[in-house]
């Protein structure tokens, strides 16, 4: 997976995503992170990339030309021949979630566009952007942090990036459930004991306990997610009712054969 990030602050991206797990993934060749400075593409002799907005209003706007030329330069470096998804990170976008991360993780190339000042000239957005995505209902000073949040969430779903790929399946948000509580050594800390069942060695019982904990935790902390989970896992009718239903059914079958 190749991430291309159009930004006025490439050093922010390199510094942050070059560290920890994403940094290791780059070194090991599972992902590449190509932060491109939009300013390198301006035709202005003073290296300006912004100007006043038509119609008045406070603040400056990023101009179309440097953004477009930056994008065209990236296009030449793409692995795939098809038009890439170009994500404009903006508080006006759909709110990013784990499902979106999974969807984006299927791509070979992803292009992010980070805005600054009061935004970007609408005409270049219409020309190149395929997805408008926000990280939540609040406004940040620029698009770099949201872009990095998304790159991190997507990168860890790329096979090989996490040492143990299993952990991407069992963690929070898988199947709309939050992750169960976890414990490490010592067995007792500040008078609090690790739940007995986790020491039992009975894997089936541990799995059952963890699922119950996940359900409980989701119900308590994220009732919105719990509702979604319930829709996919409607309560099974109680055995008693089932048995009665079956008996009724066999009686009617009997009546019909008699
Ligand atoms: N740019 C500024 N605020 C943002 C947000 N909440 N999400 C995405 N991009 C942004």
């Amino acid at each position: 997976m190749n991430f291309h990030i159009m930004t006025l602050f490439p050093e922010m991206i390199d510094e942050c995503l070059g560290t920890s797990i994403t940094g290791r993934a780059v070194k090991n060749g599972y992902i590449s992170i190509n932060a491109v400075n939009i300013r390198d593409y301006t035709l202005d002799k003073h290296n300006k990339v912004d100007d006043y907005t038509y119609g008045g209003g406070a603040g400056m706007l990023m101009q179309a030309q440097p953004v477009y030329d930056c994008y065209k330069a990236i296009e030449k470096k793409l692995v795939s021949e098809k038009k890439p998804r170009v994500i404009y990170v903006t508080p006006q976008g759909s709110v990013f979630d784990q499902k979106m991360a999974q969807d984006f993780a299927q791509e070979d190339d992803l292009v992010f566009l980070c805005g600054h000042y009061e935004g970007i000239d609408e005409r270049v957005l219409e020309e190149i952007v395929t997805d408008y995505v926000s990280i939540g209902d609040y406004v940040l000073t620029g698009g770099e942090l949201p872009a990095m949040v998304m790159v991190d969430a997507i990168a860890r779903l790329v096979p090989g990036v996490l040492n143990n790929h299993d952990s991407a399946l069992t963690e929070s948000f898988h199947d709309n459930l939050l992750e169960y509580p976890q414990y490490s050594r010592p067995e007792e800390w500040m008078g609090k004991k690790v739940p007995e069942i986790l020491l039992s060695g009975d894997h089936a019982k541990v799995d059952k306990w963890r699922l119950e904990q996940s359900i409980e935790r989701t119900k308590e902390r994220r009732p919105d997610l719990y509702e979604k989970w319930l829709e996919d896992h409607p309560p099974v009718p109680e055995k008693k009712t089932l048995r009665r239903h079956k008996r009724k059914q066999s009686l009617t079958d009997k009546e019909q054969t008699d």
Side-chain angles (χ1 to χ4, degrees):
M1 157 82 76
N2 303 300
F3 296 96
H4 308 266
I5 303 158
M6 295 193 264
T7 169
L8 290 174
F9 301 97
E11 64 285 357
M12 225 174 136
I13 309 284
D14 291 337
E15 186 74 26
C16 180
L17 294 179
T19 329
S20 186
I21 292 178
T22 44
R24 189 188 64 199
V26 171
K27 270 199 205 111
N28 294 339
Y30 293 112
I31 59 170
S32 75
I33 294 172
N34 173 30
V36 189
N37 196 340
I38 297 170
R39 202 178 293 281
D40 290 346
Y41 294 88
T42 180
L43 299 176
D44 181 86
K45 61 174 187 272
H46 302 294
N47 266 351
K48 229 166 52 99
V49 289
D50 60 326
D51 213 325
Y52 295 101
T53 49
Y54 280 116
M60 307 286 270
L61 207 61
M62 274 168 77
Q63 293 168 286
Q65 176 274 316
V67 174
Y68 187 69
D69 289 356
C70 179
Y71 170 71
K72 286 310 237 184
I74 288 173
E75 236 186 12
K76 291 191 189 126
K77 293 187 174 167
L78 302 179
V79 177
S80 146
E81 305 246 304
K82 68 174 180 129
K83 159 117 182 74
R85 289 178 83 170
V86 178
I87 301 158
Y88 177 40
V89 289
T90 165
Q92 295 184 11
S94 319
V95 179
F96 186 68
D97 62 10
Q98 192 66 21
K99 223 167 150 197
M100 268 196 216
Q102 271 150 4
D103 183 30
F104 286 132
Q106 309 305 314
E107 302 292 322
D108 291 327
D109 289 287
L110 277 180
V111 182
F112 287 85
L113 171 57
C114 307
H116 260 271
Y117 313 114
E118 285 305 303
I120 302 182
D121 189 309
E122 193 66 24
R123 293 167 295 182
V124 69
L125 301 179
E126 285 169 10
E127 202 57 42
I128 67 171
V129 172
T130 58
D131 299 83
Y132 293 79
V133 188
S134 164
I135 58 161
D137 291 341
Y138 42 84
V139 182
L140 301 167
T141 54
E144 284 73 17
L145 286 171
M148 289 194 282
V149 165
M150 294 182 215
V151 169
D152 188 284
I154 297 164
R156 61 191 293 290
L157 299 175
V158 171
V161 170
L162 295 186
N163 281 336
N164 173 7
H165 194 56
D166 257 355
S167 60
L169 287 177
T170 56
E171 70 199 3
S172 291
F173 301 113
H174 176 68
D175 197 22
N176 288 316
L177 286 181
L178 302 181
E179 199 176 31
Y180 43 81
Q182 303 216 67
Y183 305 86
S184 182
R185 282 195 286 185
E187 254 178 63
E188 187 173 332
W189 178 78
M190 300 248 289
K192 291 165 180 278
K193 287 191 172 143
V194 170
E196 201 69 43
I197 200 151
L198 299 178
L199 311 174
S200 71
D202 185 333
H203 295 299
K205 276 193 183 155
V206 168
D207 286 349
K208 186 169 172 282
W209 180 86
R210 284 181 167 164
L211 178 63
E212 285 162 2
Q213 292 290 316
S214 280
I215 296 170
E216 244 349 274
R217 178 162 279 197
T218 311
K219 192 172 170 183
E220 194 181 303
R221 297 188 184 173
R222 290 290 305 272
D224 56 323
L225 278 183
Y226 177 68
E227 287 304 316
K228 282 194 201 162
W229 179 82
L230 266 186
E231 280 171 25
D232 296 338
H233 303 82
V236 183
E238 275 187 33
K239 276 200 181 123
K240 234 172 157 184
T241 337
L242 257 179
R243 236 182 273 136
R244 211 178 295 143
H245 172 77
K246 268 194 191 150
R247 203 166 29 171
K248 235 171 138 188
Q249 190 64 40
S250 62
L251 279 177
T252 27
D253 290 349
K254 207 163 164 265
E255 277 162 19
Q256 274 167 6
T257 47
D258 281 350

